[in-house]
Amino acid sequence: MRIVLIGFGTVGQGFTEILRDKGDALRRQYGFTPQLVGVATRSRGTLMAEDGLDLNALLEAIQKGHLDTYPNNPGVTRNLSTLELLEQCGAQVMLEAGTTDLQTAQPALDHCYTALAKGMHIVSANKGPIALAYPELMARASKVGKQVLFEATVMAGTPSLRLAMQALAGATISEARGIFNGTTNYILTQMEGGMSYAHALAQAQALGYAEADPTADVDGWDAASKVLILATAIFGKQLKLSEMTVRGISSITSEDVEAARAAGERWKLIARVTPQGGTVEPLRIPVTHPLASVGGATNAVTYVTDMLGEVTLVGAGAGRRQTGFALLADLLDLHRLGV
Amino acid sequence: MRIVLIGFGTVGQGFTEILRDKGDALRRQYGFTPQLVGVATRSRGTLMAEDGLDLNALLEAIQKGHLDTYPNNPGVTRNLSTLELLEQCGAQVMLEAGTTDLQTAQPALDHCYTALAKGMHIVSANKGPIALAYPELMARASKVGKQVLFEATVMAGTPSLRLAMQALAGATISEARGIFNGTTNYILTQMEGGMSYAHALAQAQALGYAEADPTADVDGWDAASKVLILATAIFGKQLKLSEMTVRGISSITSEDVEAARAAGERWKLIARVTPQGGTVEPLRIPVTHPLASVGGATNAVTYVTDMLGEVTLVGAGAGRRQTGFALLADLLDLHRLGV
């Protein structure tokens, strides 16, 4: 399977490390032999190699700071633009692992359209195109008979979408709710341990959970983007952020946390979506509630179904390897489909 | 898809009701059109109909107490033995939903072997053949190119096996642990509310969770059979009940429950399996532990993985419709494979 990787940050590198470390096992166990034929970054160069890039050399190059430091192997082309790379690399699958933009979904959306036009399947860790343009994306994909997979966009590699779309096939889901943002859940958990909001946020940033600008996390927009993705994937409804109630955790004080604790409750940033719409808001829930024990950077989703009642999945919501694994899981799905 | 159903108790009837109620939706959504061409019971008759049985009439007949009361439609053959039915019905899939026997796996195992010899795929809600004879069953199935699916055997229709074997493909599972018996979990939950063990057991029996002879549940053997199934499905290891530590809940007193409560803990019957072996035993866990909030007849499994850390699934562990749904989910898998 010939793969081109757009974006080579934490997720792209995590994925590449997994390919390097699990390559033999994947071949033996699934007959799966992926080949990375191109990598694009925004400002650290671009590589294309018809016969596949050397994964160790690639990871070394990015650690040195620029893909220019990749060895001068025969067949390597450098510094194409991302669109040129997509046009020329001859990949069967594009991995979109660039930065999420929840206003425009760009440039990821253009990457997706170009890749589909070139006959590639799409595996996206980028929430933008799925949250904002799923109907158009699926229309174009179905026209050319290609798949769009996006397990990485909700709860990292914890198979939240696979559970809803494959494992629960035959059941009807009427509601999804859960904890979809690791940063805020980590901050709330630390505040329960007595830490101030500001200190907990600084720690989340130091640990790499929260961005330098933490607005998307703490104001609820990241969780809201996952609500958009679940709405479109499960209910076929394109919601809009502007039509949703979205409240974050930045107004939660240590006193609020203590008041909840005294009442046997915990604050959690709960996202909820039904065919009628979605919300994100901090709620106090009893400590004995299943979602209350979901601590730190862990995430959880509960699907309400007709056949089984409530089905809850709890697991990692973020992380280099955990999100990289989601890309591999989607590729294995394509492999099973004969790509 | 032509289907023969062996065993027409709670699970078989639940499955038939789902087919009746979801028939149109299954056709529209998945292009799936199952046809029940035979049903066998131990003591309430047997029916075969080449063109498919009428599901409403079939459910009415079993509610009247015997399949003899099914209408005299043309093409209906009555009172074949189960093995004759399997030989003659021309089904593509056998659903084994008879009574579990954890000593011999019979007569279900013979049904499975006969069905495979006749070229049928197997979907089993019966734990016996999977827990005791999986290697031989898989060897015979692979020889004739057929599938053996058994989602119903662990956590009813909650997709515990699908999660491990499909959704987590690419990750390596090193341990599974959880709460796999609804009856004992219900009893322990009721005892926390102040009920005596005897009273809670009687209530579980009245609600249909526990059998008249509750030994398999309360002494841990039902949970242990699920450990055997997980060991074989996830690790490819055939464990033996006689080599496992299995302790049930019958010795847990109201005083034990109260002592745990006072310490902020709860008793749970925890099953655990690794490639090295398995155990079932009542353990005290903190109320804040994810498994502590799994109450009543709900079950849960935690998979420990290399790529994602811990992934936990919580959902129904028993129930007419919930277990019937597991059979449907396996059939949809076969349908996707082109059966």
Side-chain angles (χ1 to χ4, degrees):
Chain A
M1 184 187 287
R2 295 168 60 81
I3 298 163
V4 60
L5 173 61
I6 309 302
F8 202 38
T10 308
V11 174
Q13 290 174 42
F15 166 75
T16 305
E17 288 161 10
I18 294 171
L19 277 200
R20 178 193 62 190
D21 300 344
K22 285 227 159 194
D24 284 348
L26 292 171
R27 186 166 41 243
R28 264 183 290 116
Q29 219 176 331
Y30 304 101
F32 179 54
T33 52
Q35 200 179 32
L36 208 52
V37 298
V39 173
T41 70
R42 259 185 313 181
S43 56
R44 291 181 289 170
T46 295
L47 290 170
M48 181 173 78
E50 210 180 319
D51 297 333
L53 292 158
D54 180 280
L55 302 181
N56 266 319
L58 184 63
L59 288 163
E60 274 174 34
I62 200 72
Q63 269 144 38
K64 285 184 202 152
H66 201 287
L67 296 183
D68 273 355
T69 60
Y70 184 83
N72 260 325
N73 298 344
V76 171
T77 307
R78 292 167 193 280
N79 293 319
L80 298 170
S81 73
T82 300
L83 292 180
E84 285 167 344
L85 174 66
L86 290 173
E87 293 283 344
Q88 296 174 30
C89 67
Q92 298 157 283
V93 182
M94 177 186 78
L95 302 185
E96 168 56 51
T99 310
T100 291
D101 179 319
L102 287 179
Q103 250 78 57
T104 67
Q106 293 296 6
L109 190 56
D110 281 344
H111 301 162
C112 291
Y113 290 157
T114 303
L116 286 174
K118 293 297 290 182
M120 298 178 207
H121 300 279
I122 292 174
V123 170
S124 185
N126 192 311
K127 293 182 281 292
I130 315 298
L132 302 182
Y134 189 74
E136 174 69 15
L137 205 52
M138 291 309 289
R140 295 199 191 196
S142 107
K143 207 185 245 171
V144 294
K146 299 297 164 188
Q147 303 277 325
V148 180
L149 303 176
F150 46 95
E151 184 65 74
T153 59
V154 180
M155 288 177 71
T158 306
S160 55
L161 298 173
R162 251 177 197 81
L163 178 62
M165 299 169 82
Q166 294 178 15
L168 291 175
T172 302
I173 297 172
S174 56
E175 179 184 336
R177 61 171 178 266
I179 297 170
F180 296 129
N181 181 268
T183 302
T184 47
N185 204 49
Y186 177 83
I187 292 173
L188 291 173
T189 303
Q190 294 303 96
M191 287 175 77
E192 279 164 24
M195 208 177 270
S196 71
Y197 173 84
H199 187 179
L201 172 57
Q203 195 171 84
Q205 286 171 318
L207 286 166
Y209 296 152
E211 305 287 325
D213 174 2
T215 314
D217 286 327
V218 298
D219 286 350
W221 299 110
D222 174 70
S225 74
K226 288 153 186 180
V227 165
L228 295 186
I229 291 169
L230 288 168
T232 201
I234 301 175
F235 303 124
K237 301 269 172 162
Q238 180 75 54
L239 304 181
K240 285 188 178 152
L241 284 180
S242 57
E243 295 163 1
M244 282 172 56
T245 302
V246 179
R247 294 198 295 123
I249 64 157
S250 47
S251 63
I252 307 271
T253 63
S254 294
E255 289 69 36
D256 294 332
V257 171
E258 177 52 29
R261 205 194 55 72
E265 296 183 330
R266 278 186 183 150
W267 284 98
K268 291 288 176 190
L269 185 64
I270 304 288
R272 181 173 176 273
V273 57
T274 72
Q276 281 72 51
T279 55
V280 175
E281 51 190 338
L283 295 174
R284 272 168 65 159
I285 56 178
V287 290
T288 52
H289 187 282
L291 292 180
S293 62
V294 175
T298 304
N299 281 189
V301 62
T302 296
Y303 296 113
V304 182
T305 74
D306 58 344
M307 289 284 120
L308 296 169
E310 296 197 352
V311 178
T312 299
L313 184 69
V314 184
R320 180 189 189 86
R321 193 150 263 243
Q322 290 84 343
T323 311
F325 173 72
L327 299 179
L328 173 63
D330 281 346
L331 291 178
L332 281 172
D333 253 19
L334 292 175
H335 175 63
R336 264 191 295 276
L337 292 171
V339 175
Chain B
M1 185 187 288
R2 294 167 61 81
I3 298 163
V4 59
L5 172 60
I6 310 301
F8 201 39
T10 308
V11 174
Q13 290 174 43
F15 166 74
T16 305
E17 288 162 9
I18 293 171
L19 277 200
R20 178 194 61 190
D21 300 343
K22 284 226 161 193
D24 285 348
L26 292 171
R27 185 166 42 242
R28 263 183 290 117
Q29 220 176 332
Y30 305 101
F32 179 55
T33 52
Q35 201 178 32
L36 208 53
V37 297
V39 174
T41 70
R42 259 185 312 181
S43 57
R44 291 182 289 170
T46 296
L47 289 170
M48 181 172 80
E50 208 179 321
D51 298 333
L53 293 158
D54 180 279
L55 302 181
N56 266 319
L58 184 62
L59 288 163
E60 272 174 38
I62 200 72
Q63 268 143 39
K64 285 185 201 153
H66 201 288
L67 297 183
D68 274 354
T69 61
Y70 184 83
N72 260 324
N73 299 344
V76 171
T77 306
R78 292 168 194 278
N79 292 319
L80 298 169
S81 74
T82 300
L83 292 179
E84 286 167 343
L85 174 66
L86 290 173
E87 293 283 346
Q88 297 175 30
C89 68
Q92 297 159 282
V93 182
M94 177 188 76
L95 302 185
E96 169 56 52
T99 310
T100 291
D101 180 319
L102 287 178
Q103 250 78 57
T104 66
Q106 294 294 10
L109 190 55
D110 281 343
H111 301 162
C112 291
Y113 290 156
T114 303
L116 286 173
K118 293 297 290 182
M120 297 178 206
H121 300 279
I122 292 174
V123 170
S124 185
N126 192 312
K127 293 182 282 290
I130 315 300
L132 303 182
Y134 189 73
E136 172 69 14
L137 205 51
M138 291 309 289
R140 295 199 190 196
S142 107
K143 207 185 247 172
V144 293
K146 299 297 164 189
Q147 302 277 325
V148 180
L149 302 176
F150 46 96
E151 184 64 74
T153 59
V154 180
M155 288 176 71
T158 306
S160 55
L161 298 173
R162 255 180 192 79
L163 178 62
M165 300 170 82
Q166 294 178 15
L168 292 175
T172 302
I173 297 172
S174 55
E175 178 185 336
R177 61 173 177 267
I179 297 170
F180 297 129
N181 182 267
T183 302
T184 47
N185 204 50
Y186 178 82
I187 292 173
L188 290 171
T189 303
Q190 293 303 97
M191 286 174 77
E192 280 164 24
M195 210 177 269
S196 71
Y197 173 83
H199 187 179
L201 172 57
Q203 195 171 84
Q205 287 171 316
L207 285 165
Y209 297 152
E211 304 288 326
D213 174 3
T215 314
D217 287 327
V218 298
D219 287 350
W221 299 110
D222 175 70
S225 73
K226 288 153 186 179
V227 166
L228 296 186
I229 292 170
L230 288 168
T232 201
I234 300 175
F235 303 125
K237 302 269 173 163
Q238 180 76 54
L239 305 180
K240 284 188 179 152
L241 284 180
S242 57
E243 295 164 359
M244 282 173 57
T245 302
V246 178
R247 294 196 297 122
I249 64 157
S250 46
S251 63
I252 307 271
T253 63
S254 295
E255 289 69 37
D256 294 332
V257 170
E258 177 51 31
R261 204 194 58 73
E265 295 183 332
R266 279 188 183 149
W267 285 99
K268 292 289 177 191
L269 185 65
I270 304 288
R272 182 172 175 272
V273 58
T274 71
Q276 280 71 50
T279 55
V280 174
E281 52 190 338
L283 294 173
R284 272 169 64 159
I285 57 178
V287 290
T288 53
H289 187 282
L291 292 181
S293 62
V294 175
T298 304
N299 282 188
V301 63
T302 296
Y303 295 113
V304 182
T305 73
D306 57 344
M307 289 284 121
L308 296 168
E310 297 196 353
V311 178
T312 299
L313 184 70
V314 184
R320 180 189 190 85
R321 191 151 264 243
Q322 289 83 345
T323 312
F325 173 71
L327 299 179
L328 173 63
D330 282 346
L331 291 178
L332 280 172
D333 254 19
L334 292 175
H335 174 63
R336 265 191 296 274
L337 292 171
V339 175

